[in-house]
């Protein structure tokens, strides 16, 4: 088909259709011939042959070389001016004998399309045409394809501007590109000419057509861009079309997948060409030109997105969708094909630099005043999401290094810099230590060279990180004290450093927020006495500024941690005594949301706690009574002297429990005024000590005593007033509920695990609002938590917040477990628990857990038990950052770690309590084994309380006879975690499954976690036989198995008795005497003041002791052991006396007398015949 078609015989008649199908040059010549025949009557109308016509024309025109050249040029110009390549017709022989043209070839889409034949035919025709025109065939082909491409792009009648094609346009374009690829294969296509033709009609060119050219390797985007001489025009055109592409990508349409693929390919090409280290020099232009164009396009796209954010775009608007679409190109998965290169990392670093330096119009003074508004929770989600995407590829070290380099060398946008710092410490826990180290280096450099820029940067970064809470960074007060509150501070090296520090702090005073001034005044830098004037001058300046702002230092708390939501405003006149007068007149306290009163209440609690430990009036209270008398008299004393009912009878047993009739969540002490105990407690003793030290005005003390005597007359009125809650507090609670609901959606989506830290920061922000806290809430470390196990106390509003958080945690855990096991759920649970462990929230959390587990345990559902067990595991994971818990009554000799608190909250005395303990222990052990399966065993063991693990073994031994058989180590039992997450969990089956699991068996055999003979005796003594799950016969059989078959023959290294019956008897007596003196026996007694008679434990243990003593007296001495020197009871008594304190003071003598009395009491049933 490459040969030209021969003309048909002249005598053959042609119809109209056949005539139309003839080539245009044949039709033109035929017309000329017809006109010639008509005008030449001499020939009688005979049609002359084509050769005759040409011969005659040659004879009539004899031209020289110059004339021929002139005629040839005129002919070329004539053809070019009248040439319509879109109507090019190619004639073929054979069926279907239909004319073929380029337009029809593009339009064909059926099975009868003859693409290969037509493309070959087009190539032959284009060569002939190019030969006649005197132009290269490749140039002519490029013009034809470019003209066809423009026709396809203009075929859509939709309103401009647009960058995507319709389906019929894509079909036409596909046919056109097949022709173009065949022309490329025949070396009849010039890419350069084609690009030049496209630039002539760039306004009609659709970006999708350019993408198809790039994807199908006809003309790459790089070649197209390099063919244009004006780089600014190229950048403007591509940036405009990319913005349109982003808008149409997020619009609801059927072309979204094509749009995303286009955007991905364009961005990859721009990143690869703009940020590759070794640029390919084989291009047709200088490599720097293409690199500059690619970088300029990416920069312009980011700048337009940042400008839209600064303008305050509305969510859901077209601009918002376009910005969101462009920010999505920073997802790491988009660069998987080029991730082996360093281009993505260089691109991300460049992007971060551009963000930090975008429009640096804010001054440092503006940043000092406004940085509170740039915390993570208040940063636009689009911008914080962009930061998080940048953090995926860049390591924390690279991010901090980039921040440091930009801040040291460029003018920056402080809003973007500080919001980036907040996002960094929230989303990357590994970066927190790096930021702290960076701040330390800045301070060191600042004081070494008196560099003001480093000083400003260190304070701004430290304050910004502190805004994100103690889980992310130490509070500002803690940081300031650590940096300047000791002799090792940065400022202590010389007088020059001191002058530099106070000059800097003084310059900040006009712009400082009051809370920072309060920190500097209450926790001033440590200054040598000879330079005290520097500090005095600054304190005077800060106090003056605080007075101008109507913020009073005098009204701040004794143990102020500057965690108030707002600054304490100054009060004047009689209003200072208003809280105390309200207490006296209306028997109520200020609302919990009143910040000054809340701080004062905490001061009172802290003072009482210090007094309990030292037995002396706290120094802070004595100092306040002298130097801060206004606060001491108007706030501290009224809070300390809150009226309490003078008790005339003992409070009913069970108050505050689930059976007392008090509604869930309302403690008895919130319904009735608190009572003065018959034996003065720490609060009463502190008040008496202050009175004797003349630190309480006599009139105020007498008013307090009178109020205590009269307040019992109207307790109901006080209760009704205490239940009033602020309606304004509903709004923060609603926002917190919304944030928790959004967290659940992220927890169940594995692709959103990287956004969990960000969502937890939002929850933390809403939690502060709900509880009235501020950004400077300090760490939980420090003062122990005081917890009353019998009647845990918390305010109704605190209970609502804690219940909301606990419910959300349980629901999130169940939802996440339905999607993935705990080890693949991401870090959301640990982040959630860290948020709960704020210093002001932790006491309320532990009090609520005490109410739920100890007093309302049987009413908890399976999902609640599973959720609270997982919560206990993560509290154990954070045990190093949590304070100790002092449990009352009685206060133990030492504080308990939070994980060991659950051992007290889950007793095993009754069938119901044992069932709850089994469920809780099964869930906790199963969760920890699954959650930390790939981590070190030490982490696993640290998350679990040894007491709970031993109780699990104890209950399994008691309830399941099959568990008493030797374990089968070949049993491939699976983890029972998934069955526990089902609504109808079979706890007995789950416990046995866990017992048989190899990993759990290894855990239970670990030293310190194995149930020993002494542990078993302590737990068995707590059992109340009348409500035990075992009958008397079953209990006796179990005791016989446990003593004689399990613990007696076991080696002492594993907690047994080495087969020595005397050791077993002595251990039992020793445990029994400890039990009678321990605080556990108090819970069994109606009269807790009776120590010896308070033991009402499992009396069956006494029977086992008598049986063992009889066997010991009647049986022979065990082999391998020397004969005993005396009765084993005498040995127990001697060992216990030796362990007591030596001396002849009253306390020591009383202790020995108590031991003697106890020994006599225990000897009588043991030695009875």
């Amino acid at each position: 088909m490459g040969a030209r078609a021969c003309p048909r015989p002249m005598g053959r008649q042609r119809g109209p259709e056949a005539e139309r199908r003839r080539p245009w040059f044949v039709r033109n010549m035929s017309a000329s011939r017809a006109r010639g025949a008509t005008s030449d009557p001499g020939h009688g109308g005979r049609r002359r042959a084509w050769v005759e016509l040409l011969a005659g024309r040659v004879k009539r025109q004899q031209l020289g070389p110059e004339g021929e050249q002139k005629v040839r040029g005129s002919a070329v110009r004539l053809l070019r001016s009248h040439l319509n390549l879109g109507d090019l017709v190619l004639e073929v022989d054979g069926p279907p004998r239909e004319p073929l043209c380029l337009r029809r070839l593009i339009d064909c889409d059926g099975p009868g399309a003859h693409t290969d034949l037509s493309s070959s035919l087009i190539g032959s025709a284009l060569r002939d045409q190019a030969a006649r025109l005197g132009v290269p065939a490749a140039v002519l082909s490029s013009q034809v394809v470019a003209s066809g491409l423009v026709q396809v792009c203009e075929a859509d009648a939709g309103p401009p501007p647009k960058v995507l094609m319709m389906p019929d346009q894509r079909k036409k374009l596909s046919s056109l590109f097949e022709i173009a690829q065949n022309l490329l294969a025949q070396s009849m296509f010039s890419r350069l000419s084609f690009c030049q033709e496209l630039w002539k009609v760039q306004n009609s060119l659709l970006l999708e057509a350019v993408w198809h050219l790039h994807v199908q390797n006809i003309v790459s985007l790089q070649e197209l861009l390099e063919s244009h001489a004006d780089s600014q025009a190229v950048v403007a055109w591509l940036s405009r079309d990319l913005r349109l592409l982003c808008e149409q990508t997020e619009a609801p349409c059927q072309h979204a997948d094509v749009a995303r693929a286009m955007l991905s390919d364009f961005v990859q090409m721009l990143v690869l060409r703009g940020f590759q280290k070794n640029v390919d020099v084989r291009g047709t232009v200088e490599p720097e030109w293409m690199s500059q164009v690619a970088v300029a396009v990416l920069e312009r796209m980011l700048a337009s997105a940042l400008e839209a954010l600064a303008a305050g775009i509305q969510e859901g608007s077209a601009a918002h969708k376009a910005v969101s679409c462009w920010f999505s190109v920073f997802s790491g998965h988009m660069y998987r094909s080029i991730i082996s290169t360093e281009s993505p990392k260089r691109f991300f670093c460049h992007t971060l630099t551009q963000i930090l330096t975008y429009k640096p119009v804010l001054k440092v003074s503006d940043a000092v005043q406004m940085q509170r508004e740039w915390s993570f929770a208040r940063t636009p989600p689009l911008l914080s999401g962009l930061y998080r995407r940048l953090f995926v590829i860049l390591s924390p070290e690279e991010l901090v290094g980039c921040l440091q380099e930009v801040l040291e060398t460029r003018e920056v946008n402080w809003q973007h810099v500080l919001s980036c710092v907040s996002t960094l410490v929230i989303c990357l826990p590994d970066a927190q230590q790096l930021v702290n180290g960076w701040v330390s280096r800045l301070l060191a450099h600042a004081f070494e060279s008196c560099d003001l820029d480093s000083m400003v940067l260190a304070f701004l970064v430290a304050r910004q990180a502190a805004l994100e809470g103690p889980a992310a960074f130490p509070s500002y007060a803690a940081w300031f004290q650590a940096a300047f509150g000791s002799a090792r501070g940065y400022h202590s090296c010389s007088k020059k450093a001191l002058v530099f520090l106070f000059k800097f702090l003084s310059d900040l005073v006009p712009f400082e927020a009051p809370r920072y001034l309060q920190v500097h005044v209450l926790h001033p830098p440590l200054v040598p006495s000879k330079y005290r004037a520097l500090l005095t001058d600054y304190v005077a300046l800060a106090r003056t500024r605080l007075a101008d702002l109507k913020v009073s230092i005098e009204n701040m708390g004794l143990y102020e941690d500057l965690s108030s939501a707002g600054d304490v405003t100054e009060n004047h006149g009689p209003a200072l005594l208003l809280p105390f007068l309200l207490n006296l007149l209306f028997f109520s306290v200020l609302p919990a949301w009143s910040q000054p009163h809340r701080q004062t209440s905490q001061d009172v609690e802290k003072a009482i706690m210090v007094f309990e430990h030292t037995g002396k009036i706290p120094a802070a209270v004595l100092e306040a009574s002298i130097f801060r008398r206004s606060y001491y008299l108007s706030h501290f004393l009224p809070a300390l002297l809150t009226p309490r009912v003078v008790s005339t009878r003992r409070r009913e047993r069970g108050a505050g429990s689930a059976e007392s009739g008090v509604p869930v969540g309302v403690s008895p002490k919130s319904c009735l005024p608190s009572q003065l105990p018959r034996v003065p407690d720490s609060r009463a003793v502190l008040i008496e000590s202050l009175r004797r030290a003349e630190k309480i005005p006599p009139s105020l003390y007498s008013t307090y005593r009178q109020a205590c005597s009269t307040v019992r007359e109207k307790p109901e009125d006080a209760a009704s007033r205490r239940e009033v809650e602020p309606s304004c507090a509903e709004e923060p609670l609603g926002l917190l509920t919304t944030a928790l609901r959004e967290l659940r959606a992220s927890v169940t989506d594995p692709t959103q695990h990287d956004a969990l830290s960000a969502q937890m920061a939002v929850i933390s922000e809403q939690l502060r609002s709900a509880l009235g806290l501020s950004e400077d809430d300090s760490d939980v470390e420090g003062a122990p938590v005081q917890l009353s196990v019998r009647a845990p106390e918390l305010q109704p509003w605190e209970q609502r917040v804690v219940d909301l958080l606990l419910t959300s945690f349980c629901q999130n855990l169940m939802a996440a477990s339905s999607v993935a096991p705990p080890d693949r759920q991401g870090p959301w649970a640990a982040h959630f628990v860290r948020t709960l462990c704020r210093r002001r929230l932790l006491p309320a959390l532990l009090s609520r857990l005490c109410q739920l587990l100890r007093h309302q345990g049987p009413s908890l559902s399976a999902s609640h038990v599973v959720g609270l067990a997982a919560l206990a595991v993560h509290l154990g994971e954070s045990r190093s950052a949590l304070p100790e818990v002092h449990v009352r009554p009685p206060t133990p000799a030492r504080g308990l770690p939070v994980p060991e608190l659950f051992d007290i909250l889950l007793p095993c005395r009754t069938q119901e309590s044992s069932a709850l303990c089994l469920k809780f222990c099964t869930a906790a052990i199963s969760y920890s084994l699954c959650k930390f399966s790939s981590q070190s065993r030490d982490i696993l063991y640290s998350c679990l309380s040894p007491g709970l693990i031993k109780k699990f073994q104890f209950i399994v031994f008691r309830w399941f006879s099959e568990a008493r058989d030797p374990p089968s180590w070949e049993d491939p039992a699976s983890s029972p975690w998934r069955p526990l997450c089902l609504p109808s969990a079979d706890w007995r089956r789950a416990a046995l499954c866990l017992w048989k699991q190899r990993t759990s068996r290894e855990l239970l055999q670990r030293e310190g976690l194995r149930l020993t003979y002494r542990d078993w005796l302590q737990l068995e003594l707590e059992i109340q036989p009348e409500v035990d799950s075992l009958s008397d016969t079953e209990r006796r059989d179990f005791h016989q198995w446990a003593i004689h078959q399990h613990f007696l023959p076991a080696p002492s290294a594993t907690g047994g008795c080495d087969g020595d019956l005397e050791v077993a008897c002595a251990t039992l007596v020793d445990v029994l005497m400890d039990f009678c003196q321990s605080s556990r026996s108090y819970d069994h007694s109606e009269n807790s003041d009776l120590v010896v008679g308070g033991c009402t434990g499992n009396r069956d243990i006494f029977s086992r002791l008598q049986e063992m003593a009889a066997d010991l007296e009647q049986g022979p001495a065990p082999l391998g052991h020397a004969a005993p020197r005396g009765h084993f009871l005498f040995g127990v008594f001697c060992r216990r006396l030796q362990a007591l304190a030596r001396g002849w003071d009253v306390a020591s003598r009383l202790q020995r007398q108590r031991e003697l009395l106890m020994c006599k009491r225990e000897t009588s049933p043991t030695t009875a015949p």
Side-chain angles (χ1 to χ4, degrees):
M1 295 302 295
R4 294 167 52 189
C6 298
R8 300 179 184 278
M10 304 302 295
R12 186 174 179 178
Q13 300 296 323
R14 298 176 183 271
E17 182 64 22
E19 185 67 21
R20 188 181 63 79
R21 296 177 181 175
R22 299 172 63 196
W24 63 273
F25 52 85
V26 177
R27 293 204 305 269
N28 291 343
M29 291 303 177
S30 299
S32 299
R33 183 179 61 192
R35 288 193 297 271
T38 304
S39 61
D40 188 9
H43 288 79
R46 182 180 65 86
R47 295 182 177 179
R48 290 179 293 176
W50 175 255
V51 179
E52 293 178 355
L53 288 174
L54 293 179
R57 193 169 184 81
V58 172
K59 291 179 180 179
R60 287 194 295 269
Q61 295 185 4
Q62 297 293 335
L63 300 177
E66 295 181 359
E68 291 181 358
Q69 186 68 24
K70 183 177 180 180
V71 171
R72 184 178 293 108
S74 299
V76 170
R77 287 193 297 274
L78 178 64
L79 288 174
R80 283 184 173 177
S81 61
H82 292 85
L83 184 64
N84 187 354
L85 294 176
D87 293 334
L88 178 63
V89 178
L90 300 176
E91 195 172 280
V92 296
D93 292 330
R97 302 186 62 83
E98 292 184 358
L100 299 175
C101 64
L102 188 60
R103 184 188 302 274
R104 188 165 298 176
L105 288 174
I106 295 174
D107 292 342
C108 66
D109 56 356
H114 303 275
T115 305
D116 297 335
L117 179 65
S118 304
S119 299
S120 178
L121 201 57
I122 289 176
S124 177
L126 288 175
R127 279 194 294 267
D128 294 342
Q129 180 75 2
R132 292 189 182 88
L133 297 179
V135 296
V139 174
L140 182 62
S141 301
S142 302
Q143 294 174 351
V144 172
V145 176
S147 176
L149 181 61
V150 172
Q151 293 176 13
V152 172
C153 292
E154 293 178 342
D156 185 13
K162 52 185 179 296
V163 292
L164 298 177
M165 291 182 165
M166 302 302 293
D168 57 339
Q169 289 179 290
R170 294 193 183 101
K171 294 179 181 179
K172 296 177 181 179
L173 192 67
S174 176
S175 301
L176 176 63
F177 284 172
E178 289 183 8
I179 296 173
Q181 288 172 340
N182 286 324
L183 293 176
L184 277 170
Q186 300 175 32
S187 300
M188 290 181 59
F189 190 84
S190 171
R191 288 186 169 93
L192 179 60
S193 299
F194 180 72
C195 293
Q196 292 173 349
E197 292 295 326
L198 293 183
W199 284 122
K200 295 177 183 178
V201 291
Q202 68 179 34
N203 293 331
S204 301
L205 195 61
L206 295 182
L207 190 62
E208 184 179 348
V210 176
W211 175 65
H212 285 295
L213 288 171
H214 175 80
V215 171
Q216 299 189 24
N217 295 321
I218 297 175
V219 173
S220 67
L221 180 61
Q222 179 179 342
E223 291 177 297
L224 180 62
L225 299 181
E226 290 175 346
S227 65
H228 202 292
D230 188 356
S231 61
Q232 295 297 328
V234 171
V235 171
W237 170 76
L238 187 55
S239 301
R240 181 203 64 190
D241 280 13
L242 284 177
R243 282 195 295 270
L244 292 174
L245 178 62
C246 289
E247 293 179 2
Q248 298 185 25
T249 299
E250 295 298 317
C253 64
Q254 56 182 345
H255 314 298
D257 294 339
V258 175
R260 293 190 184 93
M262 290 172 56
L263 188 61
S264 175
D265 289 344
F266 283 137
V267 170
Q268 287 187 31
M269 191 281 299
L270 293 173
V271 170
L272 196 59
R273 296 300 302 165
F275 296 94
Q276 63 179 353
K277 189 173 184 180
N278 299 317
V279 182
D280 187 7
V281 296
R282 293 177 297 175
T284 58
V285 296
E286 292 295 328
E288 291 78 6
W289 188 92
M290 184 60 206
S291 177
Q292 292 173 1
V293 168
V295 172
V297 171
L298 294 172
E299 286 182 345
R300 182 172 292 196
M301 291 297 297
L302 180 60
S304 64
L306 294 176
E307 184 177 359
L309 280 179
I313 55 178
Q314 294 183 353
E315 187 174 358
S317 62
H320 184 276
K321 294 179 179 178
V323 172
S324 176
C325 178
W326 180 250
F327 285 173
S328 68
V329 306
F330 294 93
S331 300
H333 64 81
M334 185 171 288
Y335 305 94
R336 280 179 291 190
S337 59
I338 59 174
I339 198 65
S340 58
T341 67
E342 291 294 320
S343 298
K345 183 170 290 188
R346 282 191 286 270
F347 169 52
F348 278 38
C349 285
H350 182 83
T351 300
L352 182 59
T353 301
Q354 183 182 353
I355 295 172
L356 300 179
T357 57
Y358 174 75
K359 290 186 178 181
V361 295
L362 294 174
K363 301 178 181 179
V364 172
S365 58
D366 300 325
V368 172
Q369 292 176 303
M370 302 170 61
Q371 69 176 130
R372 182 180 181 183
E373 304 300 324
W374 302 334
S375 64
F376 178 84
R378 300 180 183 181
T379 300
L382 286 176
L383 184 58
S384 60
L386 175 59
Y387 288 141
R388 295 200 305 271
R389 291 185 174 97
L390 296 177
F391 296 169
V392 171
I393 290 184
L394 301 177
S395 66
E397 293 80 4
E398 291 171 332
L399 290 168
V400 174
C402 183
L403 274 170
Q404 184 173 354
E405 180 182 358
V406 170
L407 288 167
E408 290 176 353
T409 59
R410 308 278 291 274
E411 292 291 331
V412 295
N413 182 318
W414 285 110
Q415 179 179 0
H416 290 175
V417 168
L418 297 180
S419 62
C420 180
V421 170
S422 288
T423 308
L424 188 63
V425 298
I426 282 293
C427 297
L428 296 180
D430 296 339
Q432 299 168 9
Q433 192 65 29
L434 295 174
V435 172
N436 201 1
W438 176 32
V439 171
S440 299
R441 293 192 300 272
L442 287 172
L443 286 177
H445 180 264
F447 282 97
E448 286 176 3
S449 56
C450 293
D451 185 3
L452 187 61
D453 292 339
S454 297
M455 194 74 167
V456 169
L457 184 56
F459 270 75
L460 285 176
V461 172
R463 290 180 178 183
Q464 191 68 30
L467 290 176
E468 304 307 327
F473 199 81
S475 66
Y476 179 71
W479 174 82
F480 189 81
Q481 282 185 289
F484 306 107
S486 66
R488 295 174 297 177
Y490 300 97
H491 64 296
S492 60
C493 56
S494 64
K495 179 182 178 181
K496 181 180 179 181
L498 279 173
V499 172
F500 174 68
L501 172 62
F502 286 109
K503 175 66 166 57
F504 170 75
L505 294 178
S506 300
D507 292 341
L508 282 182
V509 167
F511 312 102
E512 290 271 46
R515 60 187 178 277
Y516 296 127
L517 292 174
Q518 292 166 347
V519 169
H520 301 163
V521 172
L522 293 177
H523 309 290
L526 182 63
V527 178
S529 56
K530 59 182 178 179
Y531 303 127
R532 197 72 179 176
L534 295 174
L535 175 61
T536 304
D537 292 343
Y538 171 75
V539 170
L541 179 62
R543 285 178 175 272
T544 302
R545 176 59 178 168
L546 288 171
D548 294 340
L549 297 174
K550 299 184 183 301
V551 177
S552 174
I553 285 288
E554 300 299 331
N555 292 339
M556 295 180 62
L558 304 183
Y559 305 95
E560 179 66 69
D561 62 353
L562 300 168
S563 59
S564 56
D567 299 303
V568 181
T569 57
E570 186 171 7
N571 296 320
H572 302 278
L576 292 176
L577 292 177
L578 179 59
F580 183 52
L581 295 177
L582 287 176
N583 277 339
L584 296 180
L585 297 177
F586 303 109
F587 322 121
S588 63
V589 296
L590 286 178
W593 61 93
S594 176
Q595 177 61 34
H597 177 75
R598 183 173 60 246
Q599 181 60 49
T600 306
S601 300
Q602 292 177 357
D603 287 342
V604 171
E605 294 175 2
K606 183 70 175 290
I608 294 174
M609 183 196 66
V610 173
F611 181 77
E612 286 179 350
H613 284 77
T614 64
K616 300 179 181 179
I617 300 176
V621 176
L622 293 176
E623 292 175 0
S625 67
I626 300 173
F627 302 106
R628 300 181 57 195
R629 194 165 182 79
S630 174
Y631 170 80
Y632 178 76
L633 292 176
S634 60
H635 290 81
F636 180 78
L637 283 183
L640 178 65
L641 300 177
T642 301
R644 296 194 289 175
V645 177
V646 177
S647 179
T648 57
R649 60 182 178 87
R650 186 178 56 84
R651 185 184 292 261
E652 295 180 3
R653 184 181 180 219
S657 65
E659 293 79 7
S660 62
V662 178
V664 175
V666 181
S667 64
K669 290 190 177 182
S670 66
C671 297
L672 295 175
S674 59
Q675 297 183 356
L676 286 173
R678 291 182 298 168
V679 178
D681 59 0
S682 300
R683 188 188 194 102
V685 175
L686 175 60
I687 293 174
E688 186 62 24
S689 299
L690 289 172
R691 185 189 67 82
R692 289 198 303 265
E694 298 182 354
K695 297 299 182 182
I696 300 179
S699 60
L700 196 60
Y701 182 77
S702 61
T703 306
Y704 160 71
R705 296 299 302 182
Q706 182 180 1
C708 290
S709 301
T710 59
V711 73
R712 60 181 177 180
E713 298 176 0
K714 298 181 180 181
E716 294 81 4
D717 296 341
S720 62
R721 270 183 280 270
R722 288 170 184 250
E723 294 176 357
V724 178
E725 293 183 2
S727 58
C728 61
E730 296 294 339
E731 181 179 356
L733 196 61
L735 296 176
L736 177 61
T737 304
T738 302
L740 292 171
R741 189 180 305 114
E742 294 175 355
L743 174 66
R744 192 178 312 160
S746 302
V747 165
T748 55
D749 187 358
T751 62
Q752 298 295 322
H753 285 174
D754 57 343
L756 290 175
S757 297
Q759 187 61 33
M760 287 309 307
V762 176
I763 293 174
S764 180
E765 175 73 13
Q766 301 303 334
L767 186 58
R768 289 195 195 103
S769 301
L771 294 177
L773 306 179
S774 79
E775 296 85 350
D776 296 330
D777 188 30
S778 62
D779 291 321
V780 296
E781 296 181 354
V785 177
Q786 304 293 330
L787 179 63
S788 175
V789 176
R790 288 185 179 178
E793 303 176 9
L794 70 163
Q795 297 296 328
W797 179 249
E798 291 177 336
Q799 178 176 326
R800 292 184 61 185
V801 175
V802 172
D803 282 352
L804 181 62
L805 294 171
L806 292 179
T807 302
S808 175
F809 182 85
C810 296
Q811 293 175 346
N812 290 341
L813 181 70
M814 302 304 289
S817 299
S818 65
V819 177
D823 56 335
R824 296 205 302 267
Q825 292 178 11
W828 75 268
H831 291 178
F832 196 105
V833 172
R834 282 201 297 269
T835 302
L836 297 180
C837 292
R838 293 183 173 275
R839 185 178 62 83
R840 293 191 174 183
L841 183 60
L842 185 61
L845 173 66
L846 297 181
S847 297
R848 186 56 178 155
L849 289 175
C850 181
Q851 289 180 348
L852 294 174
L853 294 176
R854 191 173 179 90
H855 300 292
Q856 304 173 17
S859 63
L860 295 177
S861 65
S863 61
H864 290 153
V865 174
V866 171
L868 295 181
L871 178 69
V873 171
H874 287 289
L875 285 173
E877 185 183 10
S878 305
R879 71 162 64 200
S880 60
L882 299 178
E884 294 182 340
V885 182
H886 285 184
V887 180
R888 306 189 306 267
T891 303
R894 63 178 182 87
L896 294 175
V898 171
E900 295 183 16
L901 173 65
F902 291 92
D903 187 19
I904 298 177
L905 301 183
L906 293 165
C908 302
R909 302 189 185 102
T910 66
Q911 181 177 359
E912 284 188 347
S913 62
S914 297
L916 175 64
C917 185
L918 178 65
K919 295 176 184 179
F920 192 93
C921 295
T922 302
I925 298 174
S926 301
Y927 179 80
S928 58
L929 290 176
C930 188
K931 180 68 175 179
F932 307 106
S933 58
S934 60
Q935 300 186 25
S936 170
R937 292 297 183 193
D938 295 335
I939 298 178
L940 171 62
Y941 302 148
S942 65
C943 294
L944 296 171
S945 168
L948 290 182
I949 297 178
K950 293 177 180 180
K951 286 186 176 181
F952 172 74
Q953 301 172 67
F954 172 73
I955 300 175
V956 169
F957 278 142
R958 289 188 104 249
W959 285 17
F960 308 114
S961 58
E962 55 265 45
R964 303 169 191 173
D965 299 330
S968 175
W969 293 100
E970 291 76 17
D971 192 347
S974 60
S975 174
W977 174 249
R978 289 303 296 269
L980 293 180
C981 299
L982 299 177
S984 56
D986 188 345
W987 289 98
R988 299 177 68 92
R989 181 179 178 183
L992 276 177
C993 179
L994 178 62
W995 178 264
K996 297 177 182 179
Q997 192 182 12
R998 178 184 297 272
T999 308
S1000 66
R1001 296 298 304 173
E1002 295 174 356
L1003 172 69
L1004 301 181
Q1005 295 301 320
R1006 184 179 176 89
E1007 185 178 358
L1009 303 180
R1010 185 189 300 110
L1011 182 69
T1012 65
Y1013 178 53
R1014 179 177 292 271
D1015 298 327
W1016 177 81
L1017 288 173
Q1018 291 173 348
L1019 293 173
E1020 191 66 32
L1021 277 170
E1022 292 186 352
I1023 296 295
Q1024 299 178 8
E1026 61 274 10
V1027 286
D1028 188 14
S1029 59
L1030 301 181
S1031 64
D1032 294 340
T1033 304
E1034 291 173 337
R1035 187 164 53 254
R1036 185 180 186 282
D1037 293 341
F1038 170 64
H1039 289 172
Q1040 293 291 342
W1041 170 86
I1043 295 175
H1044 296 284
Q1045 299 182 35
H1046 187 68
F1047 292 112
L1048 182 59
S1052 58
T1054 61
C1057 303
D1058 287 326
D1060 192 339
L1061 188 59
E1062 181 177 339
V1063 172
C1065 293
T1067 303
L1068 195 156
V1069 172
D1070 194 35
V1071 171
L1072 189 60
M1073 295 178 68
D1074 287 338
F1075 176 78
C1076 292
Q1077 298 180 17
S1078 67
S1079 60
R1080 297 184 181 184
S1081 63
Y1082 296 167
D1083 292 332
H1084 298 276
S1085 176
E1086 291 291 329
N1087 187 358
S1088 61
D1089 294 331
L1090 184 59
V1091 176
V1092 178
C1095 177
T1096 59
N1098 189 350
R1099 307 296 300 186
D1100 292 345
I1101 295 297
F1102 288 90
S1103 301
R1104 305 292 87 78
L1105 178 59
Q1106 290 176 340
E1107 295 171 357
M1108 294 165 61
D1111 294 340
L1112 183 63
E1113 292 179 357
Q1114 296 174 5
L1119 297 177
H1121 294 272
R1125 297 181 180 179
H1127 200 279
F1128 71 91
L1129 288 177
F1130 181 75
V1132 173
F1133 178 62
C1134 291
R1135 287 193 300 271
R1136 294 181 66 87
L1137 285 181
Q1138 292 175 359
L1140 295 177
R1142 299 181 181 274
W1144 294 100
D1145 56 322
V1146 176
S1148 300
R1149 291 200 304 268
L1150 288 176
Q1151 287 182 346
R1152 286 192 289 269
Q1153 290 177 7
R1154 185 179 65 173
E1155 285 293 331
L1156 180 59
L1157 178 62
M1158 186 69 64
C1159 186
K1160 289 175 61 179
R1161 181 177 181 274
E1162 301 302 331
T1163 302
S1164 56
T1166 305
T1167 59

